[in-house]
């Protein structure tokens, strides 16, 4: 009796599982107890840079030239928010290209994927988009995820470090060229930039979690600063805790407050401004649609020829 060959459908069903098994195996290396050591896995189809990149103008003309400025944008999200990631991908892809002097890479960041349905669907995203970083942690917002992200980046990109690393959220719309222009004239070291938040009269005690940028040297320091773990300073409001890290260490002296160009979209959605760098609290599709329409993201798209 001859055995029946596996169908192509069977292979399609097994493929995503295989991808996620690889992710879990690699991300489990050096796992210790219940606390993540911050080891992340860059899930891309290409080495380091991946395939979802905000492409610079005329980049093909100088493929081997080191850019004047490089930026990694990490969008913290959760595995189940697939529709949101699709919207965000399109929102970034349809932006004007960044200037030719810059390189900007955008990645989605979440912790280990444990739900089998999420695992299968996320693996399809990895295979198709190659723009996901999986961290060795349990999914959370204020229980160490931001620390896991920043402490992973220097190891993941050791061969091609960035000038700056950004953390933002999946309910924020970042206008990449505007941020690049802001960063161009800034120092490349000891930089801490975002929406400055003041408490008790302290100037810019920390940057709001909607989105902030640190220079590579600060991110590298976070990855090796034992005092952060010794104080258990990875648990708590992530933006406040990051401010605490740099403030106690006397770091981040080059601070830049981008208010009012970074802000929350208000309830009536009538506070959008043309010089926006980042707008936050886009919690539903209506708020995304209003924002994208304001910035003419869909302008010029030709209607379908179908009747």
């Amino acid at each position: 009796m001859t055995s029946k060959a596996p169908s192509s459908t069977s292979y399609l069903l097994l493929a995503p599982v295989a991808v996620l098994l690889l992710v879990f195996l690699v991300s489990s290396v050096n796992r210790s107890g219940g606390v993540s050591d911050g080891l992340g896995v860059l899930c891309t189809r290409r080495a380091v840079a991946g395939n979802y990149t905000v492409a610079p103008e005329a980049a093909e003309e100088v493929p081997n030239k080191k850019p004047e400025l490089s930026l990694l944008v990490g969008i913290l999200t959760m595995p189940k928010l697939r529709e949101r990631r699709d919207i965000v991908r399109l929102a970034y892809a349809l932006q004007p290209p960044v200037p030719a002097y810059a390189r900007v890479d955008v990645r989605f960041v979440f912790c280990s994927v444990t739900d089998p349905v999420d695992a299968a669907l996320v693996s399809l995203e990895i295979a198709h988009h190659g723009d996901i970083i999986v961290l060795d942690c349990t999914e959370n917002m204020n229980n160490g995820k931001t620390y896991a992200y920043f402490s992973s980046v220097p190891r993941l990109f050791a061969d091609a470090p960035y000038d700056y690393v950004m953390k933002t959220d999946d309910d924020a719309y970042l206008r990449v060229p505007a941020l690049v222009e802001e960063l161009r004239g800034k120092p490349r070291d000891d930089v801490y930039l975002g929406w400055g938040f003041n408490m008790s009269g302290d100037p810019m005690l920390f940057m709001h979690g909607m989105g902030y940028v640190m220079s590579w040297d600060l991110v590298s320091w976070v990855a090796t600063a034992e005092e952060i773990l010794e104080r258990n300073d990875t648990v708590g409001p992530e933006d406040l805790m990051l401010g605490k890290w740099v403030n106690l260490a006397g770091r981040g002296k080059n601070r830049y407050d981008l208010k009012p160009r970074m802000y929350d979209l208000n309830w009536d959605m009538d506070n959008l401004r043309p010089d926006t760098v980042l707008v936050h609290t886009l919690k539903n599709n209506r708020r995304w649609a209003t924002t994208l329409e304001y910035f003419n993201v869909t302008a010029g798209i030709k209607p379908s020829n179908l009747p």
Side-chain angles (χ1 to χ4, degrees), residues 18-48:
V19 174
L20 261 294
L21 282 174
L22 176 61
V23 171
F24 293 145
L25 286 172
V26 178
S27 64
S28 298
V29 175
N30 295 330
R31 188 188 296 265
S32 57
V35 180
S36 168
D37 67 354
L39 180 64
V41 180
L42 178 63
C43 303
T44 64
R45 292 184 294 167
R46 304 181 190 175
V48 180

Side-chain angles (χ1 to χ4, degrees), residues 14-289:
L14 289 172
V17 178
V19 174
L20 261 294
L21 282 174
L22 176 61
V23 171
F24 293 145
L25 286 172
V26 178
S27 64
S28 298
V29 175
N30 295 330
R31 188 188 296 265
S32 57
V35 180
S36 168
D37 67 354
L39 180 64
V41 180
L42 178 63
C43 303
T44 64
R45 292 184 294 167
R46 304 181 190 175
V48 180
N51 76 324
Y52 184 77
T53 298
V54 181
E57 297 171 347
E60 67 277 3
E61 297 177 6
V62 285
N64 298 317
K65 184 179 179 180
K66 186 179 185 299
E68 176 186 331
L69 182 158
S70 58
L71 167 68
L72 172 67
V73 178
I75 303 172
L76 271 60
T77 183
M78 294 186 292
K80 64 181 180 180
L81 298 178
R82 289 176 292 278
E83 181 186 13
R84 176 70 56 79
R85 286 193 294 279
D86 286 341
I87 292 172
V88 174
R89 283 187 182 104
L90 288 172
Y92 280 90
L94 293 174
Q95 288 194 31
V98 299
Y101 61 78
R103 167 194 168 200
V104 180
D105 295 333
V106 181
R107 300 289 178 266
F108 293 100
V109 181
F110 40 74
C111 294
S112 298
V113 187
T114 55
D115 180 87
V117 173
D118 286 338
L121 296 177
V122 165
S123 66
L124 295 179
E125 289 185 75
I126 291 170
H128 183 67
H129 297 290
D131 59 358
I132 288 174
I133 295 175
V134 178
L135 303 174
D136 181 20
C137 56
T138 301
E139 193 58 60
N140 69 91
M141 183 172 71
N142 291 317
N143 197 31
K145 183 175 180 178
T146 296
Y147 173 79
Y149 166 57
F150 281 118
S151 62
S152 294
V153 163
R155 284 176 283 182
L156 289 172
F157 300 97
D159 294 336
Y162 294 85
D163 294 313
Y164 303 103
V165 179
M166 182 177 195
K167 174 264 166 185
T168 188
D169 296 329
D170 62 6
D171 64 341
Y173 178 57
L174 170 66
R175 299 179 72 210
V176 179
L179 178 60
V180 167
E181 289 293 344
E182 274 290 336
L183 290 172
R184 188 179 191 185
K186 303 291 190 290
R188 298 293 188 264
D189 62 289
D190 213 25
V191 168
Y192 184 29
L193 174 148
W195 190 97
F197 199 97
N198 306 316
M199 294 176 61
S200 304
D202 293 329
M204 284 192 289
L205 182 64
F206 65 93
M207 300 298 175
H208 192 289
M210 66 174 69
Y212 47 81
V213 176
M214 294 198 296
S215 52
W216 184 263
D217 61 304
L218 272 186
V219 177
S220 298
W221 168 76
V222 168
T224 59
E226 295 181 1
E227 59 266 33
I228 295 175
L229 295 177
E230 290 171 355
R231 294 193 305 260
N232 195 30
D233 274 350
T234 63
V235 178
E238 53 93 10
D239 46 7
L240 180 60
M241 299 313 294
L242 192 142
K244 180 180 179 181
W245 305 342
V246 297
N247 290 334
L248 288 180
R251 295 176 181 268
K253 290 186 173 63
N254 295 319
R255 300 194 180 194
Y256 302 95
D257 186 356
L258 294 194
K259 289 196 302 290
R261 299 180 66 198
M262 298 176 72
Y263 56 94
D264 286 335
L265 184 63
N266 65 21
W267 181 259
D268 294 323
M269 300 185 292
D270 59 1
N271 63 324
L272 291 160
R273 46 187 297 146
D275 64 346
T276 296
V277 171
L278 181 147
V279 56
H280 183 232
T281 64
L282 309 185
K283 299 290 188 182
N284 57 48
N285 289 355
R286 182 167 175 264
R287 293 172 75 83
W288 271 101

